[in-house]
Every structure is written in structure tokens, then in C-alpha cells.
Amino acid sequence: GDAFSVTSSLGELGNYTARVQTDADGVFHFRGLKPGRYLVSTSVPLQVAVTVRSDSGMTRTDTTVQTEGFAITGATSVTSKIYNYRDAVSNREQRVFKLVEVKADSPITELGELE
């Protein structure tokens, strides 16, 4: 598939803390985290195939005629709109949330930060 970037944000107790984008392989890192519980929110772009219906501005009338022998005894007409249909692609976003906990004994990076 095509590579795309995903934006993830990280918050502690409802406070916005950090925001990162993935690399081409979909990997991301938050650095400099203090111990605590964080809510990671990720937005993944996706495309959805849809069919778009639009009003053509025209109508169609279907008439049903009731007969007895050669005599017409009644008629019923139904008028309905005529629609045009086309296939399209709709750009959407899937939101994913995960609660993570950084513990005091989490690995320390070469930069001296929790990861």
C-alpha cells in the first residue's frame, strides 16, 4: 500500500502534552515522558468508496390503466424524480484511542529521557 503519515497526540489527565507524526513505516515515538497515565489519540486517514446521488431535475410518470374488456375503468399515475448516480471517493478519518502508562522504571534512552 501507499505510505501515509499518521498524527498521534498524547495527553495526561486531559491536558494536551505532545504531538508527533509517523515515519514512512508508521513508527512514532514520544520522548521526555514523565511517569504517569497517558491517553494516546491517533488519527488514521482512510478513503471510502461511495455512490453519490444527485437530482437530475427531471421526473418520470408511470401510469397504470384499469380496463374491463375494451372500456377504461380507471387510471393511476405516479410521478417520481429521476436521479443521477456516480461513484466517488470520500476522505475520512478513523480515530483510535489507547490508555498507556509510563512507569518510573521505563527504559531510559541515550538522551536520558523516558520513552
Side-chain angles (χ1 to χ4, degrees):
D2 294 335
F4 58 88
S5 68
V6 175
T7 300
S8 294
S9 60
L10 184 76
E12 184 178 21
L13 301 174
N15 294 322
Y16 176 78
T17 304
R19 188 178 183 104
V20 297
Q21 281 198 308
T22 63
D23 62 17
D25 295 323
V27 176
F28 61 92
H29 296 277
F30 289 104
R31 299 200 182 277
L33 299 178
K34 296 177 183 177
R37 294 178 75 179
Y38 295 87
L39 179 66
V40 179
S41 168
T42 302
S43 300
V44 181
L46 59 100
Q47 292 185 328
V48 180
V50 295
T51 300
V52 177
R53 181 178 88 167
S54 59
D55 190 341
S56 69
M58 297 183 286
T59 59
R60 170 183 312 138
T61 301
D62 294 314
T63 302
T64 303
V65 178
Q66 295 86 33
T67 60
E68 286 184 17
F70 293 108
I72 296 175
T73 58
T76 306
S77 294
V78 176
T79 301
S80 55
K81 291 182 176 184
I82 297 174
Y83 295 100
N84 294 322
Y85 296 88
R86 67 180 172 80
D87 292 330
V89 173
S90 177
N91 292 314
R92 301 293 172 127
E93 177 180 272
Q94 177 70 41
R95 303 277 295 171
V96 180
F97 299 92
K98 182 169 181 161
L99 189 61
V100 296
E101 186 170 356
V102 175
K103 297 182 180 178
D105 59 355
S106 293
I108 303 293
T109 68
E110 61 277 2
L111 301 175
E113 299 174 325
L114 290 171
E115 183 173 33

